[in-house]
């Protein structure tokens, strides 16, 4: 499996801040999909994200890095947890989003971010 559900994310994090945390821990270029669902009433994330990694070996390194980690950008006592996501792979995650949330989420800042991966870097930008 390559798609993880990252749990217990502090609710103030944005998808950009979460992506920066991934890159800061040497995962730049190793993920191609990040979806951080937003609670529109509270205008904060729901505390979990779906991240598709490029390989099972990258997933193993991701689990070793992020499972039981406490993020420090905001003061929190939340401890991250990493579990397999129900939908696996980039295509299935995109299809799931389109089927469930595409019509409901009209603001592009709240949509999943799809990255192009190469050997060294992530290409920035929403697609």
């Amino acid at each position: 499996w390559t798609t993880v559900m990252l749990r217990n994310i502090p609710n103030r994090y944005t998808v950009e801040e979460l992506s920066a945390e991934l890159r800061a821990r040497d995962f730049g270029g190793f993920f191609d999909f990040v979806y951080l669902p937003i609670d529109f009433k509270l205008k904060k994330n729901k505390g979990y994200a779906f991240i598709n990694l490029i390989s099972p070996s990258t997933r193993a390194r991701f689990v070793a890095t992020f499972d039981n980690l406490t993020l420090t950008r905001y003061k929190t006592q939340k401890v991250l947890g990493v579990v397999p996501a129900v939908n696996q792979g980039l295509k299935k995650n995109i299809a799931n989003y389109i089927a469930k949330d595409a019509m409901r989420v009209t603001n592009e800042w709240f949509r999943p971010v799809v990255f192009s991966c190469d050997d060294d870097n992530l290409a920035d930008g929403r697609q």
Side-chain angles (χ1 to χ4, degrees):
W1 50 281
T2 60
T3 305
V4 300
M5 180 181 191
L6 186 61
R7 295 180 171 176
N8 298 323
I9 298 168
N11 298 93
R12 292 177 60 192
Y13 267 79
T14 65
V15 70
E16 290 82 8
E17 291 168 335
L18 180 60
S19 297
E21 292 278 0
L22 301 179
R23 288 190 296 273
R25 288 174 173 77
D26 297 323
F27 284 91
F30 292 96
F31 60 96
D32 56 12
F33 178 91
V34 177
Y35 182 38
L36 182 65
I38 301 297
D39 181 323
F40 296 111
K41 290 181 183 175
L42 298 176
K43 298 187 174 145
K44 297 190 184 290
N45 79 62
K46 293 183 177 183
Y48 60 90
F50 299 99
I51 302 164
N52 189 63
L53 302 155
I54 63 169
S55 70
S57 61
T58 300
R59 181 253 310 145
R61 186 169 63 90
F62 184 92
V63 171
T65 302
F66 284 95
D67 198 40
N68 295 313
L69 178 72
T70 299
L71 299 176
T72 58
R73 182 178 297 264
Y74 301 107
K75 187 175 180 176
T76 183
Q77 294 182 352
K78 288 187 172 187
V79 177
L80 298 177
V82 181
V83 297
V86 171
N87 294 299
Q88 290 293 316
L90 177 62
K91 290 180 182 179
K92 284 192 179 178
N93 277 284
I94 292 171
N96 184 62
Y97 170 78
I98 290 170
K100 290 188 174 184
D101 290 329
M103 298 304 288
R104 187 177 65 84
V105 180
T106 57
N107 186 325
E108 72 178 43
W109 290 103
F110 302 137
R111 293 179 180 162
V113 182
V114 177
F115 298 93
S116 297
C117 292
D118 62 26
D119 292 339
D120 301 313
N121 300 309
L122 282 178
D124 290 323
R126 295 177 181 274
Q127 296 182 352

